[in-house]
Amino acid sequence: MRIITRLKMAQLLCIVVAAAVGVLLLVTTAQMRHELTRNEKAGEILRAVVSLRYLAMEYALGHEARTRTQWVLRKESLAALLANDEEFRDGPEAGIYLGLRQQLPHLHKYFTDALQLQEDLRATPDRVEILRRLEGRLHGQIMNKAQAMISDAEDLAARSREGALAAQHRANIAAGTLGLLLTLAVLGALYMTIRSVARPLERLRHGTELVGAGKLDFALNLKGGDEVGDLARAFDSMTEKLRQTTVSRDELGQANKALQDEVTVRKEAELKVQSQLARMSLLHQITRSIGDRQDLRSIFQVVVRSLEDQLPVDFGCVCLYRDNELTVSSVGLASEMLSTEFAMREQSRIPIDENGLSRCVRGQLVYEPDISEVPYPFPKRLARGGLNALVLAPLLAESTVFGVLIVARRAPNSFSSGECEFLRQLSEHVALAANQARLYADLQRAYNELHETQQSVTKQERLRALGQMASGIAHDINNAISPVALYTESLLETEPALSNDGRNCLRVIARAIDDVAATVARMRELYRQREPELSLGSVSLNTLVPQVVDLTRARWSDMPQQRGVVIELRQELAERLPPLLGAEGEIREALTNLIFNGVDAMPEGGELTVRTRHANGHVVLEVSDSGVGMDEATLKRCLDPFFTTKGDRGTGLGLATVCGMVERHSGTIAVDSKLGQGTTVRISFPVADQPAEDAPPPAAAAPLMRMRLLIVDDDPTVLASLRAILLRDGHEVTAADGGQAGIEAFKASVEGGPAFTAVFTDLGMPYVDGRRVAETIKALSPATPIILLTGWGQRLIPDSGELPVNVDYVLSKPPRLRELREVLTRVAQSTTLEASK
């Protein structure tokens, strides 16, 4: 089955599932709307009943005609509401609704009786007391009936709300279920695509790498009848043809050497990883032996506190041994008061003298049953605190003492031989646990170093991949702007009748094309790590800033105003600002990035200021915004490549590109920002000792001799523009659309004449590329100059500066008139020199 058929089936499946989702959503929406209508009507009924009760109460207090009229009108509106029972024809709500409709006439009757009673009061004043009592009872019945109706209305509203919530719940369940179905359908379509396209293409990519590395006996052998199968068979046919060609021994040797170097690097990396895994395995064994505690302080605290509680002892601490002295590392809770008295708090230092300490650091367990008789300073210090019996246990790891466990009691001769043996065994366990903790810490540091190395390698790989992608983009951009560049230069040179505005517009177009070409040229630096060669000239920031402000006006003025946001851009340019020595295109691009960043930082509008000044022999450019600002963590990383706070809208290369420009200009960059107070980016450029003089415009090229030229390119616009320009210069031009057509045209000229003076050919063309064209033409006519036009530019020229094989000249796209004429002049000179010989 063809791939397009599979994709259409997947598309049809997604459409069917989407249609089912839409129908079910319409049904659930209708149910939800019905429930909301019921809820809204129940609320209106409740408000009407409450209003009737309130108006009846107000009438009972004031007997005003206005209140009576309002009550009658409110009753009529409630009756109209209750007359339509379409929303409450079934379920328990129907009974409540019917009860409300039946109670309303009774309420109306009570109110009518109250009105009649009021008239009787006016007609028979002698019965006022009796009528007043009757009126009170009647109003009480009205209030009770209204209250009963309010309760029923509240019940009806509550039930309608429950119905609305239930409908909403059903709608949520339906939406979730259909969303899951749609997700499964999309995943199924993706699976079909991956199975049909991605995997065969991955195998094809792998085969391409193998063939490119010189393994010409590789074959895909895909038997599928779809488009990928056709491509695989064409690939196998190509490798078969390549096997019939001769491969240079030097190239094979270089490839083998590179492969051996890569194998060596991989082996070293593998050994390093194996070493790390062995250390991690050792760490696992140590962890199982000592539990969850992996730091010396925690281990020592557990040991000392256990001795204080369980042995028990009156004083206990652990000291670390280094540089012929002890440092107190941990003191028990019960021993803190004594440690203060002995001047043995944590991090205190104890010198080693010729006593038990000196023997202990040599690896011996020392027991002093009564230290009051020992004449050395350390035992005397303990004895002054009331301690008498002392045990010093060495912490020995790998035949090296790294610490001492010190325990003491007040009573002399209070440690038995069994307790001394226990302390010796305990010191061995403590030493083992401490040694394991130290090994774990070393392993953790090594792991962190490995992690940082992996991050660095990953970052470099991302840059390499981005550079490869940017290289292809640069080729397409150069092809697209080549006709614009050629026609712009031609109009400026050949159309003297242009208006000043038209000529200025063409100059702006030419300057923009130069900036695009320079930017495209710098894109290759992401892939080919070489210092870019800057074409430095005298740059005036006061002239450059207004240009960039005008170019970016749509971003900081028009686009925000469409959202109702106003951004005010101010220019504060210093007077008599000296020029700097730099690349105008790079500085313009950097300033554009800074203005865009400032606009993005002010989503609600604000003030953006661009200022220039001269300070301490430097020209300073500042861009300040009043936006959201950055916190300390973001400020520290804002200049790192690929770091962005804009989510999917950002690439993380804006400020990194600006930073690279500043470094290439030997300048400095500083960023000041606070949350809620905006951001200021300050760039300082050094002022040259002697300002560079602007290069004079190139003189018009002298008329060249008439040449017969062949142009080979697969882009019709580039072909037409280049042909038109060369025709204007008086040459005879033949255009060939593609590599094969160019070869046939050259063969025809060789066989039937006249011959071509030179050949212009593009590099990247389908089927037959520029290298193949150059090889064929050189085989037919070795003396014919080959001029290679390419959107990849100087990337084709290696660091050694040698031109590609069979190529005499290389011109980058977009080509310039001056470059074309210089090359043709050199061709003419070489042709004349050959003819004179």
Side-chain angles (χ1 to χ4, degrees):
M1 184 183 295
R2 307 293 286 180
I3 294 176
I4 188 64
T5 304
R6 297 177 184 175
L7 294 177
K8 287 182 177 179
M9 292 176 60
Q11 180 182 9
L12 180 60
L13 176 61
C14 293
I15 292 174
V16 171
V17 174
V21 170
V23 171
L24 190 53
L25 286 178
L26 288 176
V27 173
T28 54
T29 302
Q31 293 178 353
M32 186 68 185
R33 186 176 299 171
H34 176 69
E35 293 296 336
L36 291 176
T37 303
R38 284 163 52 97
N39 190 19
E40 182 179 358
K41 185 170 183 179
E44 291 179 359
I45 293 172
L46 177 60
R47 289 191 295 272
V49 174
V50 172
S51 178
L52 283 178
R53 185 176 182 276
Y54 172 76
L55 291 172
M57 186 182 300
E58 184 177 355
Y59 179 76
L61 295 175
H63 300 96
E64 295 181 358
R66 177 184 59 80
T67 306
R68 181 176 68 248
T69 303
Q70 290 179 349
W71 193 94
V72 173
L73 292 175
R74 195 59 176 172
K75 177 262 177 186
E76 293 298 331
S77 64
L78 177 58
L81 281 175
L82 295 176
N84 185 8
D85 61 348
E86 293 181 358
E87 291 82 1
F88 301 98
R89 287 185 176 179
D90 52 0
E93 294 89 347
I96 299 174
Y97 194 84
L98 181 60
L100 287 171
R101 190 160 54 185
Q102 291 175 352
Q103 290 175 8
L104 183 60
H106 295 289
L107 182 63
H108 180 258
K109 181 179 180 305
Y110 290 151
F111 189 76
T112 304
D113 291 342
L115 295 178
Q116 183 63 40
L117 188 60
Q118 188 65 28
E119 293 178 1
D120 292 343
L121 281 172
R122 288 193 295 269
T124 57
D126 54 338
R127 300 176 57 195
V128 64
E129 184 177 354
I130 296 175
L131 292 178
R132 289 293 184 189
R133 292 180 181 177
L134 291 176
E135 182 183 16
R137 294 179 181 177
L138 191 57
H139 281 297
Q141 291 178 352
I142 292 174
M143 294 298 106
N144 293 335
K145 182 62 68 176
Q147 185 62 41
M149 291 182 69
I150 289 174
S151 299
D152 292 341
E154 290 177 344
D155 190 13
L156 182 64
R159 290 177 181 274
S160 63
R161 283 194 299 272
E162 292 175 356
L165 292 175
Q168 183 179 5
H169 181 66
R170 291 193 298 272
N172 291 337
I173 293 176
T177 303
L178 292 177
L180 179 61
L181 290 177
L182 183 59
T183 302
L184 292 177
V186 173
L187 290 177
L190 289 176
Y191 174 75
M192 292 179 61
T193 303
I194 293 174
R195 183 176 180 181
S196 303
V197 180
R199 292 178 181 174
L201 288 181
E202 175 61 24
R203 187 174 177 185
L204 181 61
R205 183 196 65 78
H206 179 66
T208 304
E209 291 180 351
L210 293 178
V211 172
K215 188 177 181 181
L216 301 180
D217 57 347
F218 176 81
L220 292 174
N221 296 326
L222 294 179
K223 305 300 183 181
D226 53 12
E227 295 88 342
V228 177
D230 296 341
L231 183 61
R233 286 187 287 276
F235 178 84
D236 292 341
S237 177
M238 179 191 69
T239 56
E240 180 65 26
K241 292 179 181 179
L242 288 175
R243 279 196 292 271
Q244 299 175 3
T245 62
T246 303
V247 182
S248 172
R249 291 184 179 181
D250 294 337
E251 293 178 354
L252 287 176
Q254 293 177 358
N256 289 333
K257 183 179 179 181
L259 184 59
Q260 291 175 357
D261 293 339
E262 184 177 358
V263 170
T264 302
V265 172
R266 289 180 178 271
K267 285 184 177 180
E268 292 176 354
E270 184 178 357
L271 291 175
K272 186 176 181 180
V273 172
Q274 289 178 354
S275 175
Q276 294 296 334
L277 290 176
R279 296 177 68 181
M280 291 178 67
S281 176
L282 178 60
L283 172 64
H284 177 66
Q285 297 175 4
I286 295 172
T287 304
R288 292 184 60 183
S289 65
I290 65 174
D292 297 332
R293 303 183 183 278
Q294 300 294 344
D295 62 285
L296 290 175
R297 179 178 176 80
S298 176
I299 294 171
F300 292 161
Q301 286 180 348
V302 170
V303 171
V304 175
R305 292 178 184 179
S306 298
L307 289 176
E308 289 179 341
D309 296 336
Q310 304 296 330
L311 196 54
V313 296
D314 297 317
F315 177 79
C317 71
V318 177
C319 302
L320 294 178
Y321 175 64
R322 182 181 296 174
D323 298 333
N324 202 31
E325 67 177 1
L326 295 176
T327 302
V328 179
S329 176
S330 180
V331 179
L333 289 177
S335 306
E336 285 187 355
M337 294 183 62
L338 287 175
S339 66
T340 303
E341 183 178 350
F342 301 153
M344 290 179 59
R345 298 184 64 84
E346 293 184 4
Q347 304 305 320
S348 300
R349 299 181 183 275
I350 304 174
I352 304 297
D353 48 21
E354 292 297 329
N355 57 10
L357 288 178
S358 61
R359 286 182 289 137
C360 184
V361 296
R362 288 196 294 267
Q364 301 178 13
L365 178 72
V366 177
Y367 172 47
E368 296 288 350
D370 190 357
I371 59 176
S372 59
E373 302 298 331
V374 178
Y376 297 107
F378 179 68
K380 287 184 176 181
R381 182 193 302 183
L382 299 181
R384 285 196 297 269
L387 299 177
N388 288 285
L390 173 66
V391 177
L392 304 175
L395 302 180
L396 187 65
E398 299 179 355
S399 303
T400 302
V401 175
F402 67 90
V404 175
L405 172 63
I406 301 174
V407 293
R409 286 175 176 168
R410 298 184 183 276
N413 301 305
S414 54
F415 288 98
S416 64
S417 59
E419 288 177 335
C420 291
E421 179 64 20
F422 167 76
L423 290 173
R424 185 190 65 79
Q425 294 177 356
L426 178 63
S427 66
E428 293 177 357
H429 288 286
V430 173
L432 177 61
N435 189 45
Q436 290 172 340
R438 293 167 64 185
L439 290 175
Y440 176 80
D442 294 341
L443 183 61
Q444 187 65 37
R445 284 192 297 271
Y447 175 79
N448 291 336
E449 293 175 0
L450 176 63
H451 182 66
E452 292 176 359
T453 303
Q454 290 174 340
Q455 284 185 334
S456 177
V457 172
T458 303
K459 182 176 178 181
Q460 292 297 327
E461 184 64 20
R462 290 174 64 189
L463 286 172
R464 186 188 68 82
L466 180 62
Q468 290 177 339
M469 180 180 68
S471 178
I473 296 173
H475 174 266
D476 295 340
I477 293 175
N478 284 328
N479 273 345
I481 65 176
S482 292
V484 183
L486 289 172
Y487 284 133
T488 301
E489 287 188 283
S490 177
L491 288 173
L492 287 172
E493 179 180 315
T494 62
E495 298 292 338
L498 284 173
S499 65
N500 289 334
D501 290 340
R503 189 169 296 276
N504 289 334
C505 291
L506 287 177
R507 289 194 181 108
V508 171
I509 293 173
R511 185 166 58 245
I513 292 172
D514 292 339
D515 290 345
V516 172
T519 301
V520 170
R522 288 195 302 275
M523 290 170 66
R524 68 187 177 89
E525 298 305 323
L526 294 173
Y527 174 63
R528 187 187 187 194
Q529 297 299 325
R530 250 187 3 182
E531 287 297 325
E533 297 179 0
L534 296 178
S535 177
L536 301 181
S538 179
V539 179
S540 173
L541 288 183
N542 285 354
T543 303
L544 188 64
V545 168
Q547 295 177 357
V548 176
V549 169
D550 289 339
L551 289 174
T552 60
R553 183 176 300 277
R555 184 67 180 273
W556 60 262
S557 178
D558 299 341
M559 294 173 63
Q561 287 180 7
Q562 293 176 1
R563 306 191 311 267
V565 175
V566 177
I567 295 178
E568 181 182 356
L569 194 146
R570 298 172 54 191
Q571 302 179 50
E572 299 178 359
L573 307 180
E575 297 181 357
R576 295 186 296 276
L577 187 71
L580 59 92
L581 191 63
E584 182 176 345
E586 286 204 10
I587 299 175
R588 183 185 297 111
E589 179 186 0
L591 181 56
T592 302
N593 281 334
L594 293 179
I595 291 178
F596 286 173
N597 284 347
V599 172
D600 292 338
M602 297 185 293
E604 304 299 329
E607 184 176 290
L608 185 64
T609 304
V610 182
R611 63 175 61 90
T612 60
R613 55 188 175 88
H614 182 209
N616 300 325
H618 287 75
V619 178
V620 181
L621 173 65
E622 292 184 357
V623 179
S624 302
D625 64 73
S626 59
V628 296
M630 294 181 284
D631 56 19
E632 291 294 333
T634 304
L635 187 60
K636 290 179 180 179
R637 300 187 57 194
C638 64
L639 298 179
D640 294 345
F642 303 107
F643 176 76
T644 179
T645 59
K646 302 177 183 178
D648 296 337
R649 298 185 297 110
T651 62
L653 293 176
L655 281 179
T657 303
V658 175
C659 188
M661 182 277 296
V662 173
E663 290 178 356
R664 287 191 292 273
H665 285 74
S666 301
T668 60
I669 182 172
V671 182
D672 298 330
S673 181
K674 290 185 179 180
L675 280 177
Q677 299 182 14
T679 302
T680 298
V681 180
R682 186 178 301 104
I683 302 176
S684 179
F685 298 97
V687 178
D689 295 336
Q690 293 182 353
E693 297 181 358
D694 294 336
L704 301 172
M705 73 177 196
R706 180 180 176 85
M707 297 183 182
R708 190 165 186 265
L709 304 175
L710 173 63
I711 305 175
V712 184
D713 203 307
D714 63 324
D715 192 324
T717 57
V718 175
L719 200 64
S721 60
L722 190 58
R723 182 175 181 274
I725 295 302
L726 293 176
L727 285 174
R728 289 181 183 178
D729 282 352
H731 302 292
E732 181 182 352
V733 183
T734 300
D737 185 7
Q740 186 61 41
I743 293 175
E744 292 175 357
F746 191 84
K747 286 182 178 178
S749 70
V750 171
E751 294 172 358
F756 289 108
T757 309
V759 177
F760 288 88
T761 179
D762 188 17
L763 173 62
M765 295 182 292
Y767 306 112
V768 179
D769 62 2
R771 293 185 179 90
R772 181 73 176 276
V773 172
E775 179 183 357
T776 304
I777 291 176
K778 285 294 185 180
L780 295 173
S781 176
T784 302
I786 304 295
I787 304 168
L788 189 65
L789 288 174
T790 174
W792 282 287
Q794 298 301 316
R795 189 168 66 83
L796 291 173
I797 302 177
D799 294 338
S800 61
E802 298 178 358
L803 292 172
V805 180
N806 299 320
V807 174
D808 297 286
Y809 307 99
V810 175
L811 292 181
S812 300
K813 291 183 179 179
R816 299 291 187 267
L817 286 176
R818 177 177 53 80
E819 296 175 350
L820 289 173
R821 291 167 178 169
E822 287 178 356
V823 168
L824 292 178
T825 300
R826 294 166 65 184
V827 169
Q829 292 173 351
S830 62
T831 302
T832 304
L833 183 61
E834 291 292 334
S836 63
K837 292 181 180 180

